Amino acid sequence: MPETAMNLSPTAREAIADALNQAVAETVVTTMLAQNFHWNVKGMAFGPLHDLFQKIYEDHFEGQDDLAERIRALDMHAEGQLAKMLQRSKVGEQDGTQSDKDMIRLLMEAEEQIAATLSGLEAVSGDNGDTLTEDLAIERGRVHEKFAWMLRAHLQ
């Protein structure tokens, strides 16, 4: 039978919260990456890329909030320090001086990384009977894979 947040064991809540905090960290870094690229993109595709990067960072801002609020629903600590998120994240910062194609590639790789992290979150949640977190991970994973596909299409 599926578990509610407070019916999960402390060990299960810790494991799930750790995976959620990883997803939050990568989402936060990617949010800033997309916003940085939104501000600094140049070239013939400026308009569509400017708009796409904005669509991405606006979505991710909402997504990171959903993930962090799920951590709190598990009665665990949602990491909120940027320095710790940067240390934890498998997505790195960029300075925004890249070419438009490099921006697309870097953001696509970030989206793929978050999708992989969310797939891991889905597995941890499923193994522990937390169907609500599992559902959130699947929903967010689909979003990130869609953005990866949209970015990849610009490079083909």
Side-chain angles (χ1 to χ4, degrees), residues 23 26-27 30 60 91 110-119 144:
E26 291 173 6
T27 305
T30 303
H60 290 16
V91 176
E111 296 296 337
E112 291 170 344
Q113 177 57 56
I114 299 170
T117 295
L118 288 162
S119 181
H144 292 284

Side-chain angles (χ1 to χ4, degrees), residues 9-145:
S9 73
T11 304
R13 287 188 293 121
E14 278 184 36
I16 295 164
D18 185 59
L20 277 161
N21 270 310
Q22 182 67 38
V24 170
E26 291 173 6
T27 305
V28 166
V29 174
T30 303
T31 301
M32 191 64 231
L33 186 67
Q35 192 162 30
N36 186 1
F37 291 169
H38 165 81
W39 292 331
N40 290 297
V41 69
K42 300 183 275 188
M44 292 298 296
F46 167 81
L49 289 177
H50 185 75
D51 292 346
L52 177 57
F53 295 161
Q54 180 173 351
K55 184 176 181 179
I56 291 170
Y57 76 71
E58 287 176 347
D59 168 83
H60 290 16
F61 187 79
E62 231 176 273
Q64 69 195 25
D65 192 54
D66 290 343
L67 293 164
E69 287 179 351
R70 184 63 190 160
I71 296 167
R72 293 302 303 138
L74 293 166
D75 199 31
M76 302 300 291
H77 179 73
E79 181 57 59
Q81 292 180 295
L82 293 175
K84 288 186 179 180
M85 289 183 190
L86 283 167
Q87 287 174 347
R88 179 179 202 132
S89 178
K90 294 177 185 171
V91 176
E93 283 186 296
Q94 300 296 326
D95 64 9
T97 61
Q98 294 78 11
S99 69
D100 55 351
K101 286 186 180 178
D102 283 341
M103 287 178 176
I104 294 166
R105 180 185 52 77
L106 288 163
L107 197 50
M108 178 193 71
E109 290 169 356
E111 296 296 337
E112 291 170 344
Q113 177 57 56
I114 299 170
T117 295
L118 288 162
S119 181
L121 170 61
E122 180 272 327
V124 168
S125 302
D127 290 347
N128 286 287
D130 182 0
T131 57
L132 297 177
T133 303
E134 188 178 23
D135 182 63
L136 176 60
I138 291 167
E139 176 189 336
R140 290 301 310 159
R142 285 186 185 130
V143 169
H144 292 284
E145 283 200 338

